[in-house]
């Protein structure tokens, strides 16, 4: 009769112990490192802020509509993984967003002026602006185009003193909502507050 190895004072059968592989620290360490790398890779594919504009600087256009309203267009050069949905652009101290639009063009398509052939016209928040769709709108990785923002500037002093770069709220392909910083030229300060 064999003794139960789980009972205190019992001895294990050497033949049974030979069937159980000895724990190897090296195997456990390699498995742990691979699991950590896999988790880091999964996080990296969705967590970083998708790039909306060129790394080496951004281009844009601005049009002062008068009465403190400024229309700013920023050239988009999407980078990152998968499509994103641009939800909105957040207000900055001294100015609030009246409307925002996305004119997405494939990377290999030539882009026209952000404001169209006849100028920007009178943008209506929530309605299309030329070929641009009102936010929220979808942007594919590798796409170009324009992000157009209609600002209402109510305090140039605060806008210039605080000088906060605008931020776009973006939902990634994984459903994570993040803030993507926009270049300083997306701010309405240069056009609305030039004389301040």
């Amino acid at each position: 009769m064999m003794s139960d190895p789980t009972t205190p004072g019992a001895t294990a059968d050497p033949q049974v112990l030979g069937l159980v592989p000895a724990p190897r620290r090296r195997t456990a360490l390699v498995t742990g490192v691979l699991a950590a790398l896999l988790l880091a890779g999964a996080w990296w594919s969705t967590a970083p802020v998708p790039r909306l504009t060129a790394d080496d600087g951004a281009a844009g256009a601005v049009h002062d509509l008068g009465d403190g309203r400024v229309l700013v267009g920023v050239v988009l050069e999407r980078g990152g993984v998968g499509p994103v949905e641009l939800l909105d652009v957040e207000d900055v101290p001294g100015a609030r967003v009246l409307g925002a639009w996305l004119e997405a063009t494939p990377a290999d398509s030539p882009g026209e002026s952000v404001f169209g052939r006849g100028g920007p016209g009178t943008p209506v928040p929530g309605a299309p602006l030329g070929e641009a769709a009102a936010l929220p709108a979808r942007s594919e990785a590798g796409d170009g185009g324009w992000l157009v923002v209609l600002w209402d500037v109510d305090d140039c002093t605060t806008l210039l003193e605080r000088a906060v770069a605008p931020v776009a709220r973006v939902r990634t392909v994984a459903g994570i909502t993040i803030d993507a910083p926009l270049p300083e030229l997306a701010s309405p300060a240069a056009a609305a507050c030039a004389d301040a």
Side-chain angles (χ1 to χ4, degrees):
M1 179 171 144
M2 295 178 54
S3 62
D4 181 6
T6 59
T7 333
T11 57
D13 185 356
Q15 291 178 345
V16 174
L17 288 178
L19 298 175
V20 179
R24 295 184 182 166
R25 288 185 183 186
R26 186 172 146 192
T27 303
L29 179 64
V30 169
T31 303
V33 168
L34 288 176
L37 288 174
L38 182 64
L39 289 173
W43 174 84
W44 182 253
S45 70
T46 59
V49 175
R51 182 172 53 83
L52 296 178
T53 58
D55 288 333
D56 57 350
V62 63
H63 187 76
D64 189 351
L65 299 174
D67 296 330
R69 294 180 311 133
V70 177
L71 196 60
V72 176
V74 178
V75 175
L76 295 181
E77 290 186 30
R78 269 293 321 284
V81 179
V84 297
E85 186 177 12
L86 275 76
L87 301 174
D88 59 24
V89 176
E90 295 182 359
D91 297 342
V92 295
R96 64 186 178 101
V97 175
L98 296 177
W101 296 266
L102 173 67
E103 181 181 344
T105 57
D108 57 354
S109 296
E112 291 187 15
S113 169
V114 61
F115 303 132
R117 289 187 177 89
T122 304
V124 177
L129 177 64
E131 298 295 317
L135 295 190
R138 182 181 169 111
S139 175
E140 300 289 338
D143 278 359
W146 292 85
L147 174 63
V148 181
V149 183
L150 176 62
W151 293 97
D152 180 28
V153 178
D154 56 12
D155 188 349
C156 275
T157 304
T158 302
L159 185 61
L160 293 171
E161 286 178 359
R162 304 274 299 272
V164 175
V167 171
R169 287 185 46 237
V170 176
R171 182 178 299 127
T172 67
V173 69
I176 301 168
T177 301
I178 53 177
D179 291 340
L182 295 172
E184 288 182 26
L185 62 88
S187 169
C193 304
D195 299 331

